[in-house]
Amino acid sequence: MLSLDRKLLRDLWRLKTQVIAIAMVMAAGVATLVLAVGAYRSLDETRETYYERYRFADIFATATRAPEWLADEIAKIPGVAAVETRIVETAILDIEGFSVPATAALVSMPEIGDQVLNRIYLRQGRTPDPAHSDEIVVNEAFAKAHGFGPGDTFHAIIDGRKRKLVIVGIALSPEYIYALGPWDLMPDDSRFAIGWLSRKAIEAAYDLDGAFSQVSVKLMRGASLDDVIERVDVLLARYGGRGAYGRKDQQSHAFLDAELKQLEAMARILPPIFLFVAAFLINMILSRLVALEREQIGLMKALGYRSLTIGMHYMKFVAAIALVGVVIGGIAGTWLGFGLTRLYGDFYHFPFLVFLWGADIYGIAVFITVGAAALGGARAVWSVVRLPPAVAMHAPAPPRYRRFLTNGWLRHISQTNIMIARHILRWPVRAGLTVFGISLSVAVLLASLFSFDSIEFMIDFTYFQADRQDATLEFTQERPVGVISDVERLPGVLAAEPVRTVAVKVRYGHVERRVPVIGKPAGTDLSRVLDTDFRPVTLPETGFAPSDALAEILGVRVGDIVEIETLQGRKRIVEMPVTAIIQGYLGLLSFMDIEAVNRLMREGPMVTGVHLAIDEAEADALFAEVKDMPMVGSIALQKKSLEKFRQTLAENISVMISVYAGLAMVIAFGVVYNSARIQLSERGRELASLRVLGFTRGEVSWILLGELAVLTLASLPLGWAIGYGVAWVTVQGLQSELYRVPLVIDRQTYAVSSLVVLGAAAISALIVRRRIDRLDLIEVLKTRE
């Protein structure tokens, strides 16, 4: 073994704790990159494989009652590869032992042969027999929530009649990976089900013999999505078509796609922070190691070692640290990535998982990590290469301190505090870099923990400011406004507010979106419309009020004129002024006065649902009545929805945030500990001298650790500012048409982030303090090292 290689191993062992601290920061960056990219690729590949195997459609369209022969016309459209028609309706479920009404989406299955598109994956049992109209296949999540298996039964209100259904199969579907009930924010498997019945059973129940209410289309490769959608809309227009839409607007796919974009954003934002800190630490430790070994470097050059050979020796030191970080980070990232993928797989109910951890992920991680380490050590190595032997063998000139630090008000400060201040001001760049490094750990913590604040703000806005109703009933079809009186007479109903929802296309210039228009009466109190300043808005008798997300996409402001095309009932295209911009975080929504919506549809006073305030003491009686109401298609319960939202938050998001918080603590410990250890190496002779002169162990420790305390405290405000910026970038990366995350950071989050970093700094200080207490005064005074 070469002598320089033996020296390398000795240096690595001598500085093992610092090396491990830096390697752990690198490992955090590698782990974040590997788990984010690996989980993203695995989930994306799983989704695509699932879609391909089970023929997930590219286009979906809904109609009121379209004749079956229209499917042949749709199949003739250029670019169409396959067409399947079906009937999809909603129904209220009555489950024994479950007082709360559940809702189901009932989907027809072909009587002969398999499904052409959107095929189900049978976990247990079989498909319904067309000869038995009471047989049903239910989705696996719903079955698990109620402990159902083949042979179990429940009741459903199908087209006004209560029917007993027998479960013959349990299945999954690519169309319902994310099964979201009406008015819910999170899937609630106990209250929302997907049920597949034979086509014959649904046709008879809803009087749709020889007709369909939904059509799915699969495109040929290279076909124009927009052209096919336009042709489908033309064909369905006469039959109550509500506008065809592509896969990207299909609810389940859109939510899963948004989740994958979050993983992609995480891979772009967090790893660079960790690797930047690692590069900073390597630069710090290597620069100071070179300074301490200045005379050795001069001696090696005088003995004939080339500058390049000595430079490569120190680059090997950097490479060894990077290698340790890559190995630890690769193993941790793979383990966390598999866990995260399984977590998503369970949440989204995939029938299988395709793990895709290619060698290129690790290659990229190695390249980026080693590159960051090399950049961090480049400056220190360059100083080695250009240092002349004669200069290197001389001790460096002692530092010069400014005289003003001993004058004036500083005379009233203790000697140890003056030493701390003078040392910080003598090395301002070094102090600034240490402050910056510690501030990054504060920033990562802040950028992780703010998610809880933002979500709590969304919960408060959604459940306690805007939609404050206890329940929402949605009718099977439009009803005369007089139905509100019937609802108000139900047991436990304290107040009722009507609502009408209509599907429209909104255009402004060349931009258009398919959105629901929600009509509400003036002066609503249960379900309120709030502007971007969170003030209640009274919707005018004429005019259109888009959510802020929709307004931003369309590029409209108050006073602009938009074009609205109705997608149901009598087709109309009208122009309306934008009268207000509404605050909204979930989906693309728009609002109008309910009377204006009825005029838009050229109909009398009609409603599609009602918001309720209910007496909890009579809730069971109300639910029993609702289960027997043929006009009710679904019921949403705000408290149940909120409970599910918080449960999902605790199960999924908390896991991810805990991982990020742990990684941020690694940064904090790595920066503070390395700063303390390097300063102890540099100032060991000085500190030992002070002990000989009569300073106590506590005073000597304070000189070193007090400086670190000052720098740590100084890093907090900077960390808050950087963390706010990182949080803002994260929020921008998470924005989608499905939801917008508000940037909200509470004071408590600033405090928690700071306390965690201070705690990590305190642990580092205690470790270094033990080393100070064990200083061998005689030995230290003999040598600079």
Side-chain angles (χ1 to χ4, degrees), residues 197-479:
L197 294 91
S198 70
R199 179 72 173 260
K200 183 178 179 180
I202 298 187
E203 282 181 343
Y206 291 97
D207 191 24
L208 287 170
D209 186 30
F212 64 87
S213 62
Q214 271 198 15
V215 61
S216 302
V217 177
K218 189 74 175 174
L219 298 180
M220 297 178 183
R221 184 173 297 179
S224 171
L225 178 72
D226 293 336
D227 289 346
V228 175
I229 286 177
E230 185 177 351
R231 298 281 294 274
V232 170
D233 282 342
V234 171
L235 291 173
L236 293 177
R238 296 175 53 193
Y239 305 101
R242 299 187 179 184
Y245 54 92
R247 182 186 289 182
K248 73 178 183 65
D249 294 319
Q250 198 268 344
Q251 186 183 72
S252 174
H253 174 84
F255 271 99
L256 180 56
D257 203 51
E259 196 69 47
L260 289 173
K261 286 180 180 177
Q262 287 188 36
L263 283 174
E264 194 176 20
M266 184 180 77
R268 290 197 311 266
I269 295 170
L270 289 181
I273 295 176
F274 290 110
L275 296 176
F276 179 85
V277 175
F280 158 75
L281 290 175
I282 284 178
N283 177 265
M284 183 171 66
I285 189 175
L286 201 58
S287 296
R288 297 184 185 183
L289 181 63
V290 167
L292 290 173
E293 296 186 351
R294 178 187 176 99
E295 294 178 5
Q296 296 179 31
I297 294 170
L299 182 60
M300 284 189 290
K301 287 191 174 185
L303 291 173
Y305 283 94
R306 294 184 301 169
S307 296
L308 181 60
T309 302
I310 299 174
M312 287 302 298
H313 163 70
Y314 286 101
M315 287 306 295
K316 288 180 181 179
F317 181 85
V318 172
I321 298 175
L323 180 62
V324 174
V326 167
V327 172
I328 296 174
I331 294 172
T334 303
W335 180 71
L336 290 171
F338 277 107
L340 180 63
T341 304
R342 289 193 180 94
L343 183 68
Y344 278 120
D346 293 339
F347 182 74
Y348 288 106
H349 310 297
F350 286 113
F352 52 81
L353 286 173
V354 179
F355 292 103
L356 199 64
W357 258 264
D360 61 315
I361 300 177
Y362 301 98
I364 292 171
V366 170
F367 178 78
I368 295 176
T369 305
V370 173
L375 288 175
R379 182 174 175 273
V381 173
W382 174 246
S383 67
V384 170
V385 171
R386 66 185 181 88
L387 192 64
V391 176
M393 295 183 69
H394 284 287
R400 297 181 60 186
Y401 293 95
R402 300 178 185 275
R403 294 187 59 188
F404 75 89
L405 292 177
T406 62
N407 298 328
W409 58 273
L410 283 178
R411 293 178 179 175
H412 304 289
I413 300 177
S414 66
Q415 287 180 315
T416 53
N417 290 337
I418 290 175
M419 292 179 185
I420 291 172
R422 294 178 71 193
H423 196 267
I424 291 174
L425 295 176
R426 176 61 185 86
W427 306 101
V429 175
R430 178 186 298 177
L433 289 174
T434 303
V435 167
F436 183 67
I438 300 173
S439 71
L440 287 177
S441 63
V442 182
V444 173
L445 269 171
L446 200 66
S448 302
L449 297 176
F450 93 95
S451 302
F452 291 113
D453 300 332
S454 296
I455 291 172
E456 282 299 323
F457 182 85
M458 290 175 64
I459 288 174
D460 179 71
F461 174 86
T462 303
Y463 290 97
F464 300 104
Q465 294 188 52
D467 295 319
R468 307 187 298 177
Q469 69 274 12
D470 296 316
T472 299
L473 298 182
E474 197 168 75
F475 303 129
T476 54
Q477 59 186 18
E478 292 85 355
R479 298 281 176 176

Side-chain angles (χ1 to χ4, degrees), residues 109 122-129 132 134-138 149-154 165-171 196-198:
M109 296 188 70
L122 273 174
R123 287 284 204 190
Q124 299 180 50
R126 57 177 176 82
T127 57
D129 185 344
H132 298 88
D134 61 343
E135 293 186 348
I136 188 172
V137 173
V138 298
D152 291 326
T153 63
F154 59 88
L165 299 176
V166 180
I167 298 174
V168 297
I170 295 173
W196 291 269
L197 294 91
S198 70

